[in-house]
Amino acid sequence: EQQQQQQQNYRKRNKRRRNHNYNNGNNLEAIKSAQRIFDEMQNRYKRSLIEMETGTDTDMGMDMGISSTKIARPDIISYTSLITAWANCNCYSGYSAQKAQDLLFQLEEESLRLHRHRYHRHRQTSNQQNQNMSDRDCDRDHDHDQEPILQPNTILYNAVLKAWCKSNHPDAIQNAFIIFQRMRGPCLLQLETKNNDSDTTSRPIMNQRKTQKPIEYEYEYDDAEDDDDEYDNMVKPEPDRTSFNAILHALCKKGTKESLQHAEYILNEMEQYEEKGCVNWSPNLFSYNIIIEGYSKKCGDGGFSDNNHNNSYSNVAARDHFALKAYHVLQRLLIAQKKQEKKRKRNDNGNIPAVDNQERRLGSYGNKLTRKNVKRPQQFNVATTLSPDTFSFNNVIFALTKSRLKKAPLLVEEILLYMEREYDEKGRIECRPDVYTYSSAITSWARSGENDAGARAEALLLRMEERSANGERRLKPNVVTFNSVIDCYAKSGQGLAGAIKAEQILERMECMYSAGDDSVKPNANSYNSVILAWARSDTRCAHWKSLKVLNKMWKLYKDGNEDVKPDLHAYNTVITAVSKSDRADKAQRALRLLRKMDKLYVHPNEITYTCVLNSCAYSISVHDGDLRQKEYIRRKALDTAMFTLEELMESPNLQPNHVFYGTFLRCCANLIDDEHRRITVVEPVFLQCVKDGQVGQIVLNQLRLAAPDELYQKLLGNVIQKSSGTSTKRDRVSIEDLPSEWRCNVRNEKWKDRRRVVRKKSKNFKRKHFNRSK
């Protein structure tokens, strides 16, 4: 019995290994072997055709008593098996998709040749000629008539389309459009690029159906050109919903602004076809979901435009644009749902199958809300009801959460209330909210920065706990939900009240974890949010409260809890809290924390050094003692600032940015009274800043305060004369007046002038693309 059990387990293990290897694309050698067999069959069939035309049959055919046309002829099953195998092979470089496409074109050529050959043979033969033909010729004609027709169907075209969709080839979309245009269907927009002398722009233009190049067949007839359209209509199938969805999938996978606009255009065309009565070309739930997912991914990537990845403000405006586009597509889906319900009421016999949500369920996720936690449905041609499901709502909520729209939290909560109402009152399981939905809604309130964000987030948390207690165990809050609520209180701007509430929620999580609930185990993000809440509380005890939480994290880590190890974010927040305190020795305290990070192998970054400089710059402003004490504090803070500057300059992995240089110039303005000494310190630092290309608006603002008139005229004299025509007014120098080499490496800078311009542009951008009154 043990031997039989071992043999059975061995067979199961080998079966799992075979299935695993097949599913992971390790069957490439088997497909190549099948391709060689197919090529051999085709070569033998071509030789038999040549022998048939010359009037001699093969010896094998004569011995077996069969015609030569039946020897090793690839049929539709051979083509279908091989095309499907290449299309399903997990070769993402485009090799397998190209192989499947070549076989499909070969099948088209063979099918068209057989159609023409049969058509002209029937036209050339007559009853009188058939009487004079020999028996052998009659048998040959009878064999041609009995040959099965090799006609490609829609399934083969869709298989090749899906193969191009899942490939990462740069020309995947163009090849998918070529396959679609070869079908007997509508003409779609095709993305084409036009290169100018100055820049390169991509825009969709109308691409009329181009005539295919004539295929050189082995047999041509004089009047074959007259019936090309008839032959093409006999061979080419019509596309279906799967074909359109495959094109939509390829466009949304590319993820550019032009491809998403193109996908939405195709969706509009599908809706128009549905109104005209073309049911096979009507959109289904996958059509809407794949476009919503494309816009959601664009928001998750930061909304980067193709031309400029460094302009943070334009990226924010683009992210808001894509979030609103996803929300509008969801509204279109709801309108389509209402239209479909009206049609179903009119037609009592129309039974539409229910939505299958097994492919659309959202999986579990870790400590952060990311787009990887949302699973994409892979149903291309399912005739479902046009009813948005959890996948649709969660993607729109994710997009709104990543945006900076003021009304984003209200829109998210409106969507959440709609899902709850549809599930509670109408019993629609596909609209059932999950933990990801509630956590995203809480995160949207955390990003809003409103004063009542913490209270609204806690109300959502209580609603989750109430529904979980009533039997919906899947809505039980986890560590991500609690962390989002703490983050809401930390960023709400409530000061001391927000910090106290954040610490109370953290203590509640610790109590629940000690009681045995591992799903709410506090991690580093939980403690970091509490540290941030105390750092933003603007209280006198903020710095030592933050330091107390940091020491608690080290204690828990030494006791064996590796999830709460203090990271760089925790130390940067504590140093920021120290720099905001009213202690006279806060510069030395910040430097001690920096040295402690080196001992504990927590590598600092540019933000850490900038926070230390910030504590040095404002050390003297908090002390009202005698002159000796002020001079001592000023000297110690200046020594700390100089030491921090030298350490960052000598670092092999870090480089000062424009914020660091601006903060150091602020230190010089506050801590150095002697003008000669200030010139000695400021001039080499500014020249190094120019050399690094980090002269931003913050550097200019601090240079006006730190540099004397003589030094300021020496450094920016030419720029002042070009901008204002005089050499006395400093305030007229702006960032646009500087040479481009001085500011070439400035990244993500925020200054008032630029913020005003971008806000005006963003408003015009929204008014241009969206009618807000509607």
Side-chain angles (χ1 to χ4, degrees):
E1 291 179 357
Q2 292 180 357
Q3 291 179 356
Q4 291 178 358
Q5 187 67 26
Q6 291 178 358
Q7 291 177 0
Q8 186 177 2
N9 294 337
Y10 179 75
R11 295 192 192 97
K12 290 181 179 179
R13 186 166 59 252
N14 288 341
K15 184 177 180 180
R16 286 196 299 268
R17 287 177 179 175
R18 287 195 299 268
N19 294 336
H20 177 74
N21 294 336
Y22 182 82
N23 294 330
N24 284 307
N26 294 333
N27 58 336
L28 186 60
E29 295 298 328
I31 299 176
K32 289 183 179 179
S33 301
Q35 181 70 45
R36 289 192 291 268
I37 296 173
F38 180 85
D39 295 339
E40 181 63 25
M41 292 172 63
Q42 196 172 25
N43 293 331
R44 293 181 64 184
Y45 178 64
K46 288 182 179 180
R47 289 198 301 267
S48 66
L49 289 178
I50 296 174
E51 292 172 355
M52 180 189 68
E53 293 297 326
T54 56
T56 59
D57 285 337
T58 57
D59 296 337
M60 184 175 63
M62 295 295 292
D63 295 339
M64 299 178 63
I66 60 175
S67 176
S68 61
T69 57
K70 294 184 178 180
I71 296 177
R73 180 185 183 279
D75 55 359
I76 189 63
I77 299 178
S78 307
Y79 279 100
T80 304
S81 301
L82 198 54
I83 290 174
T84 307
W86 279 117
N88 294 333
C89 182
N90 295 332
C91 184
Y92 298 101
S93 61
Y95 173 77
S96 60
Q98 186 64 44
K99 284 288 187 180
Q101 178 177 323
D102 295 342
L103 284 172
L104 180 62
F105 291 169
Q106 186 177 349
L107 177 59
E108 286 182 352
E109 179 182 349
E110 185 68 17
S111 177
L112 191 57
R113 189 193 67 80
L114 289 177
H115 275 291
R116 288 179 174 175
H117 188 71
R118 176 174 297 182
Y119 180 75
H120 289 287
R121 181 171 289 275
H122 280 292
R123 289 182 59 179
Q124 291 176 0
T125 58
S126 61
N127 294 330
Q128 184 178 2
Q129 291 177 347
N130 289 336
Q131 294 177 0
N132 299 328
M133 291 174 64
S134 61
D135 296 338
R136 186 172 181 179
D137 294 334
C138 292
D139 294 339
R140 189 177 295 133
D141 290 339
H142 180 71
D143 293 337
H144 275 286
D145 294 337
Q146 297 298 326
E147 287 182 2
I149 299 177
L150 290 175
Q151 184 170 351
N153 52 18
T154 309
I155 299 176
L156 294 179
Y157 282 93
N158 292 340
V160 180
L161 281 175
K162 293 179 183 178
W164 282 118
C165 288
K166 71 179 182 180
S167 67
N168 297 326
H169 196 271
D171 298 333
I173 296 180
Q174 286 77 6
N175 292 328
F177 268 98
I178 291 174
I179 298 297
F180 189 90
Q181 299 293 354
R182 293 178 75 94
M183 302 174 73
R184 191 162 47 114
C187 188
L188 299 180
L189 281 173
Q190 185 171 355
L191 287 178
E192 293 187 3
T193 58
K194 290 189 175 182
N195 298 326
N196 298 330
D197 297 335
S198 58
D199 59 344
T200 302
T201 58
S202 300
R203 59 184 184 90
I205 61 175
M206 180 62 70
N207 181 21
Q208 301 293 339
R209 184 183 298 278
K210 299 180 180 180
T211 57
Q212 302 291 337
K213 293 183 178 180
I215 304 174
E216 296 181 358
Y217 300 100
E218 296 181 6
Y219 305 98
E220 295 183 356
Y221 300 92
D222 297 335
D223 52 351
E225 297 179 357
D226 300 335
D227 303 311
D228 283 342
D229 295 336
E230 181 179 356
Y231 295 135
D232 292 346
N233 293 332
M234 292 173 62
V235 174
K236 293 182 179 179
E238 290 185 354
D240 56 0
R241 186 184 295 109
T242 306
S243 310
F244 283 93
N245 288 342
I247 295 294
L248 291 177
H249 187 198
L251 291 171
C252 295
K253 184 179 179 181
K254 187 176 182 180
T256 60
K257 182 179 178 180
E258 292 79 10
S259 63
L260 291 174
Q261 291 177 354
H262 192 186
E264 196 166 356
Y265 168 81
I266 295 177
L267 182 63
N268 296 335
E269 293 292 326
M270 295 175 70
E271 290 177 346
Q272 294 179 5
Y273 290 136
E274 183 181 12
E275 293 177 357
K276 295 177 182 179
C278 300
V279 182
N280 293 332
W281 296 349
S282 62
N284 61 352
L285 184 60
F286 181 85
S287 309
Y288 291 94
N289 280 349
I290 196 65
I291 297 179
I292 292 175
E293 186 192 16
Y295 285 124
S296 179
K297 279 185 176 180
K298 199 67 176 176
C299 294
D301 295 339
F304 292 119
S305 60
D306 298 333
N307 299 327
N308 188 8
H309 290 253
N310 300 324
N311 192 344
S312 62
Y313 290 96
S314 62
N315 294 334
V316 169
R319 192 188 296 118
D320 298 343
H321 167 69
F322 292 125
L324 287 176
K325 293 292 284 185
Y327 181 72
H328 291 166
V329 175
L330 178 62
Q331 288 181 336
R332 291 172 58 181
L333 179 57
L334 293 173
I335 294 173
Q337 177 193 2
K338 292 180 180 179
K339 292 181 180 180
Q340 191 181 62
E341 290 177 354
K342 291 181 180 179
K343 290 181 181 180
R344 293 182 64 182
K345 290 179 180 179
R346 294 175 184 175
N347 188 9
D348 297 332
N349 296 327
N351 295 325
I352 302 176
V355 180
D356 184 11
N357 289 305
Q358 292 299 118
E359 294 289 335
R360 299 177 179 87
R361 289 183 180 176
L362 303 179
S364 58
Y365 45 86
N367 296 330
K368 293 184 179 180
L369 299 175
T370 59
R371 274 222 42 82
K372 298 180 180 179
N373 302 322
V374 183
K375 294 184 178 180
R376 181 175 66 247
Q378 296 293 342
Q379 299 180 358
F380 284 83
N381 193 23
V382 181
T384 61
T385 56
L386 290 175
S387 175
D389 55 358
T390 309
F391 179 83
S392 313
F393 291 115
N394 283 350
N395 274 280
V396 176
I397 289 174
F398 178 83
L400 292 172
T401 302
K402 290 295 182 179
S403 68
R404 293 295 181 182
L405 297 171
K406 291 185 178 180
K407 60 180 180 180
L410 299 176
L411 293 177
V412 170
E413 198 160 354
E414 180 183 353
I415 294 173
L416 180 58
L417 291 174
Y418 176 83
M419 296 175 69
E420 291 178 347
R421 184 170 60 252
E422 291 292 315
Y423 175 66
D424 296 337
E425 298 179 1
K426 299 182 180 180
R428 291 176 53 191
I429 303 177
E430 64 271 12
C431 294
R432 181 174 56 183
D434 54 6
V435 180
Y436 184 88
T437 311
Y438 283 94
S439 300
S440 300
I442 295 173
T443 305
S444 65
W445 281 112
R447 289 175 174 268
S448 65
E450 299 291 338
N451 293 331
D452 59 341
R456 286 180 174 270
E458 193 171 5
L460 291 174
L461 178 62
L462 295 176
R463 196 191 307 176
M464 289 183 65
E465 293 177 343
E466 182 180 356
R467 295 176 72 94
S468 177
N470 292 334
E472 300 183 32
R473 296 182 179 179
R474 55 187 179 75
L475 291 180
K476 183 180 180 301
N478 54 13
V479 62
V480 180
T481 312
F482 280 97
N483 288 348
S484 301
V485 177
I486 296 174
D487 197 34
C488 277
Y489 279 113
K491 298 178 181 179
S492 61
Q494 295 182 3
L496 181 61
I500 293 175
K501 291 291 293 185
E503 196 165 16
Q504 288 177 356
I505 295 175
L506 178 61
E507 293 175 356
R508 182 182 171 189
M509 292 175 66
E510 293 174 346
C511 294
M512 294 174 66
Y513 173 67
S514 60
D517 191 357
D518 295 336
S519 62
V520 294
K521 179 182 178 181
N523 53 17
N525 293 331
S526 309
Y527 291 95
N528 288 344
S529 299
V530 175
I531 293 175
L532 180 63
W534 280 114
R536 293 187 175 186
S537 62
D538 294 333
T539 57
R540 301 184 64 181
C541 61
H543 64 283
W544 68 267
K545 279 284 188 179
S546 302
L547 190 59
K548 180 180 178 181
V549 178
L550 180 64
N551 295 332
K552 184 178 181 180
M553 292 176 68
W554 276 114
K555 182 179 179 182
L556 293 174
Y557 175 72
K558 291 179 180 179
D559 292 341
N561 189 359
E562 297 182 356
D563 296 335
V564 296
K565 180 182 179 180
D567 54 1
L568 179 63
H569 179 69
Y571 274 96
N572 288 346
T573 310
V574 173
I575 294 176
T576 302
V578 171
S579 64
K580 293 181 179 180
S581 64
D582 55 354
R583 295 185 61 89
D585 59 340
K586 57 183 180 181
Q588 289 75 32
R589 282 178 171 267
L591 185 61
R592 291 194 200 102
L593 289 172
L594 181 62
R595 297 280 70 81
K596 188 176 181 181
M597 291 175 64
D598 296 334
K599 293 180 180 179
L600 299 174
Y601 301 101
V602 180
H603 302 289
N605 58 1
E606 297 88 349
I607 300 176
T608 312
Y609 289 97
T610 305
C611 294
V612 175
L613 284 183
N614 195 32
S615 63
C616 298
Y618 298 97
S619 296
I620 193 62
S621 60
V622 299
H623 187 73
D624 297 332
D626 54 357
L627 295 178
R628 290 185 178 180
Q629 190 68 18
K630 282 187 177 182
E631 185 64 26
Y632 176 77
I633 294 173
R634 182 185 291 111
R635 187 173 63 254
K636 296 291 290 185
L638 182 61
D639 293 342
T640 304
M642 296 295 295
F643 177 79
T644 305
L645 175 66
E646 293 176 359
E647 183 175 347
L648 183 58
M649 288 291 187
E650 295 175 358
S651 177
N653 301 323
L654 300 177
Q655 185 177 2
N657 55 11
H658 62 283
V659 181
F660 181 84
Y661 281 114
T663 309
F664 183 81
L665 292 177
R666 185 68 182 183
C667 293
C668 296
N670 294 343
L671 302 177
I672 303 177
D673 293 335
D674 188 9
E675 290 188 1
H676 179 71
R677 187 180 181 187
R678 189 183 296 182
I679 292 173
T680 307
V681 176
V682 170
E683 184 177 2
V685 173
F686 182 78
L687 293 178
Q688 183 65 34
C689 181
V690 171
K691 184 178 179 180
D692 295 340
Q694 296 288 348
V695 182
Q697 189 66 36
I698 186 174
V699 178
L700 286 179
N701 294 338
Q702 300 303 326
L703 185 65
R704 295 189 187 103
L705 302 175
D709 295 337
E710 181 181 355
L711 179 61
Y712 193 85
Q713 179 67 25
K714 178 181 178 181
L715 297 176
L716 299 177
N718 297 330
V719 178
I720 295 173
Q721 293 177 1
K722 290 181 181 179
S723 60
S724 60
T726 61
S727 60
T728 57
K729 296 190 177 183
R730 301 184 176 189
D731 296 337
R732 294 186 179 182
V733 179
S734 61
I735 188 67
E736 289 80 7
D737 300 329
L738 299 178
S740 59
E741 296 82 5
W742 291 19
R743 48 188 172 90
C744 59
N745 295 326
V746 177
R747 297 292 182 268
N748 299 330
E749 187 176 14
K750 302 179 182 180
W751 59 79
K752 294 182 180 180
D753 297 336
R754 186 174 180 180
R755 188 183 298 119
R756 290 173 184 171
V757 173
V758 172
R759 283 180 179 176
K760 291 180 180 179
K761 289 182 179 180
S762 63
K763 289 181 180 180
N764 297 331
F765 180 80
K766 293 177 183 177
R767 290 173 183 172
K768 181 180 178 182
H769 292 273
F770 310 106
N771 191 349
R772 301 184 68 179
S773 62
K774 293 183 180 180

